[in-house]
Amino acid sequence: MDVEQSIRQILLNYMRSKKMNYAQFSAFSGINSGSLSRILQGSRPISVRQLELITGALGLEEVALFDLYVEECFAFFVSMRRIRPFIIKCAVLGRLDCIERIVTRLLDNLSYVPALFDVAEELFASKYHQAAALLYDNVSKAEKFQHSERLAFCRYRLFLVELGNDLEKNYRAAMVFEDYVNRLHEADQLEALKCLIDVLVTVHKWKRVDELAEEMLRISQIQYDLHNVRESEKKSERPIYFYILYAWLVRSAVCEEYKDYTGALKYVALYSAGKSWIREDDEEAIFLMNQFVEWGKANTYLYRIWSGEAEAIYDYANFVADHPEEIFVALSNIVQAANQFGFDIDDILERFKAYIPFQAIEGQYGQYNKTILGEKFAQFLSDLGVYKFNKSPENPDNAINLILEGLDFSVNIKSVRNMITCMTLFEQYRDYADQEAKRIFKKLVSEVHRINAEKNMVPLSFV
């Protein structure tokens, strides 16, 4: 029995065992009797829909004949009209192994690369990311010597698929993708640069963040100037002016990190003044311009705080009270400033205590990147622990528990910087910790060592 006939043989055996003729099985399965006859005679390929009807009629699991159908895809003639729905079906049901076998054979002929790329895009849009990644990876390997835009776009999609809560894994994915970003179409480059920037912010690579923000600004300004001339060109994921504003926002954050508050305020003025030059006046444009104006107001208060103005804390708190999506980020900034300048912020912590638990902030535009927010929360826990200890050194349990919580959260997201911070703080306060806290710390440090051994991230000496 030839392999490509095995589904037919299974079907014939079933019909013989049940003493069913073509007409009876046709009525039972829903397959047209003429089509059934041609299938069993081996003169017609089996479609995915017919495979589903055969599988159902035989009372088999939905994926029972998938391995055999891989061979059916290459029987008679190769047709993407048959192969495409089967790949999608495999993605839905988690049979990535079948997709791998099909793709490997198809790519013996590179003329199928464009069709497979299109299927990958369809799967990505439907959020079957692992199946899409398998196709993108194979397409990129097939085009590795072409330096094509499609190769770069595959690497971009693979980068997006890899992003998750593991900050170190995200960073490694960013480093692999960064070599491809300048090969993308300019419309895609802008969103790709934003994604790279967001990853690098979480691992505090500020010099590179600033370089990428400068490149984003250059490309977006050129595109915006040419926008009216090139209406038929491929559109960026967000309005082009958004990337101009975002680049200025990022560059202000870099200045903040380097304590250059004068420079930061220069960029605040730029991204707050979008209404003076943005041509669009639709609902989306108005929303985005207002969003950046609000961020500008919040950051102006923040830079006053970082300059040591105690009264600015309450101006900042009152401002964010009307902007719930900003409260947690504001709290984390206020706690850092309190530790630096010795401010008393107990009343503010009490006022906003409902916003302290970690939660992702959703929104159509301007929402905080979840990984950035997660990294900030890990830092917030250790900062809050320091604040609590400085306020009440005679009652250290709350501070130590916060530091342990921060270490646990940092381990979960694999934030090396915050793991080291939390372990350093615990060692500093070790004499105040009870035996249970020390036991928890030892367990968490063992997990840090495991992560370190797996990734060879940083040398750690804590025990």
Side-chain angles (χ1 to χ4, degrees):
M1 177 181 66
D2 293 334
V3 175
E4 66 268 17
Q5 294 177 326
S6 58
I7 294 177
R8 293 169 175 77
Q9 192 62 54
I10 290 170
L11 178 52
L12 281 169
N13 290 343
Y14 178 86
M15 291 173 62
R16 288 166 183 163
S17 69
K18 300 295 183 181
K19 296 182 171 54
M20 300 174 75
N21 58 32
Y22 287 2
Q24 290 171 322
F25 187 83
S26 173
F28 178 59
S29 66
I31 300 174
N32 175 274
S33 58
S35 297
L36 177 63
S37 174
R38 288 189 290 275
I39 287 171
L40 289 174
Q41 290 171 9
S43 60
R44 176 174 179 158
I46 302 170
S47 70
V48 171
R49 177 55 184 158
Q50 290 165 345
L51 176 70
E52 293 171 348
L53 294 173
I54 291 170
T55 302
L58 270 56
L60 301 174
E61 292 185 9
E62 197 168 4
V63 298
L65 300 176
F66 275 26
D67 288 306
L68 299 176
Y69 194 77
V70 170
E71 302 303 325
E72 181 73 18
C73 289
F74 297 92
F76 301 92
F77 55 90
V78 176
S79 167
M80 287 303 298
R81 289 187 60 187
R82 273 188 299 133
I83 291 176
R84 177 193 151 276
F86 183 58
I87 289 176
I88 292 171
K89 191 77 173 177
C90 288
V92 171
L93 298 176
R95 288 301 303 269
L96 301 188
D97 58 321
C98 291
I99 298 176
E100 179 73 49
R101 288 163 56 198
I102 288 173
V103 170
T104 300
R105 289 173 67 170
L106 278 178
L107 288 179
D108 286 339
N109 183 342
L110 296 182
S111 67
Y112 291 109
V113 166
L116 285 174
F117 175 79
D118 290 341
V119 177
E121 284 288 271
E122 186 175 351
L123 291 172
F124 186 87
S126 300
K127 301 189 184 305
Y128 294 109
H129 289 158
Q130 294 308 310
L134 194 158
L135 294 181
Y136 288 129
D137 185 51
N138 278 280
V139 169
S140 66
K141 289 174 181 175
E143 298 214 339
K144 64 182 178 180
F145 299 116
Q146 304 302 315
H147 300 283
S148 66
E149 185 180 313
R150 185 162 51 223
L151 166 62
F153 198 82
C154 285
R155 300 314 304 180
Y156 176 36
R157 289 297 200 211
L158 288 167
F159 166 58
L160 294 178
V161 169
E162 287 189 61
L163 295 182
N165 294 326
D166 185 329
L167 302 190
E168 287 299 309
K169 182 179 178 182
N170 292 350
Y171 178 50
R172 291 196 300 274
M175 291 302 93
V176 170
F177 168 60
E178 195 173 348
D179 289 339
Y180 296 91
V181 68
N182 62 357
R183 303 187 204 172
L184 291 169
H185 187 284
E186 287 183 343
D188 296 317
Q189 277 188 48
L190 291 172
E191 188 66 20
L193 285 167
K194 181 185 182 299
C195 293
L196 281 172
I197 287 168
D198 289 345
V199 169
L200 295 178
V201 165
T202 67
V203 291
H204 303 271
K205 303 296 182 181
W206 293 105
K207 183 176 184 296
R208 189 57 181 147
V209 165
D210 197 40
E211 292 169 349
L212 293 176
E214 186 175 9
E215 179 67 2
M216 176 192 286
L217 183 62
R218 183 189 69 81
I219 295 171
S220 56
Q221 287 179 325
I222 291 172
Q223 286 196 37
Y224 196 66
D225 289 342
L226 297 175
H227 181 65
N228 289 336
V229 181
R230 301 167 62 184
E231 284 293 331
S232 63
E233 285 285 329
K234 182 177 183 180
K235 300 296 189 297
S236 56
E237 186 167 327
R238 307 171 203 245
I240 296 173
Y241 58 78
F242 167 87
Y243 299 102
I244 298 174
L245 298 172
Y246 194 78
W248 283 330
L249 176 68
V250 170
R251 299 202 78 182
S252 72
V254 173
C255 289
E256 176 191 341
E257 183 67 21
Y258 292 135
K259 305 188 186 307
D260 175 13
Y261 303 123
T262 301
L265 286 169
K266 179 187 74 173
Y267 289 114
V268 167
L270 288 170
Y271 68 69
S272 298
K275 292 180 181 179
S276 67
W277 58 269
I278 292 175
R279 297 185 291 267
E280 291 77 0
D281 59 359
D282 55 22
E283 183 178 344
E284 180 181 28
I286 293 169
F287 179 90
L288 284 170
M289 286 186 283
N290 288 337
Q291 177 71 79
F292 279 91
V293 168
E294 294 301 299
W295 280 336
K297 291 176 181 177
N299 286 333
T300 299
Y301 288 125
L302 177 60
Y303 300 146
R304 287 174 55 199
I305 293 170
W306 285 131
S307 298
E309 295 184 37
E311 64 275 13
I313 288 182
Y314 293 94
D315 295 334
Y316 190 29
N318 291 334
F319 174 80
V320 299
D322 295 327
H323 302 80
E325 73 280 3
E326 297 287 334
I327 290 175
F328 168 72
V329 172
L331 276 176
S332 65
N333 291 326
I334 288 171
V335 172
Q336 286 184 54
N339 290 339
Q340 181 174 342
F341 297 107
F343 298 147
D344 187 325
I345 58 168
D346 284 356
D347 53 344
I348 292 177
L349 290 173
E350 178 62 26
R351 179 181 180 183
F352 296 126
K353 63 183 179 181
Y355 294 88
I356 291 177
F358 172 69
Q359 51 187 316
I361 300 173
E362 300 291 345
Q364 184 179 6
Y365 296 103
Q367 71 269 31
Y368 285 97
N369 177 280
K370 291 180 181 179
T371 54
I372 291 176
L373 196 65
E375 196 275 339
K376 201 165 189 66
F377 182 68
Q379 181 178 349
F380 171 75
L381 290 170
S382 60
D383 287 339
L384 186 58
V386 171
Y387 176 78
K388 294 290 187 181
F389 187 85
N390 289 339
K391 284 286 293 183
S392 304
E394 72 283 354
N395 183 25
D397 288 351
N398 192 12
I400 289 171
N401 288 338
L402 283 166
I403 291 167
L404 289 173
E405 185 181 350
L407 179 55
D408 185 36
F409 193 85
S410 300
V411 166
N412 287 333
I413 66 172
K414 296 184 175 61
S415 172
V416 176
R417 180 175 182 268
N418 284 300
M419 283 189 272
I420 293 173
T421 296
C422 291
M423 290 190 294
T424 301
L425 286 171
F426 189 89
E427 290 296 336
Q428 183 179 335
Y429 302 147
R430 176 181 281 276
D431 291 344
Y432 298 93
D434 59 24
Q435 290 303 311
E436 176 62 12
K438 291 177 181 177
R439 183 192 67 78
I440 294 171
F441 178 69
K442 184 176 180 179
K443 179 181 178 182
L444 289 171
V445 170
S446 296
E447 184 64 13
V448 173
H449 280 299
R450 183 190 66 77
I451 294 169
N452 185 51
E454 287 180 356
K455 299 186 176 182
N456 194 27
M457 295 185 301
V458 290
L460 300 173
S461 58
F462 295 94
V463 293

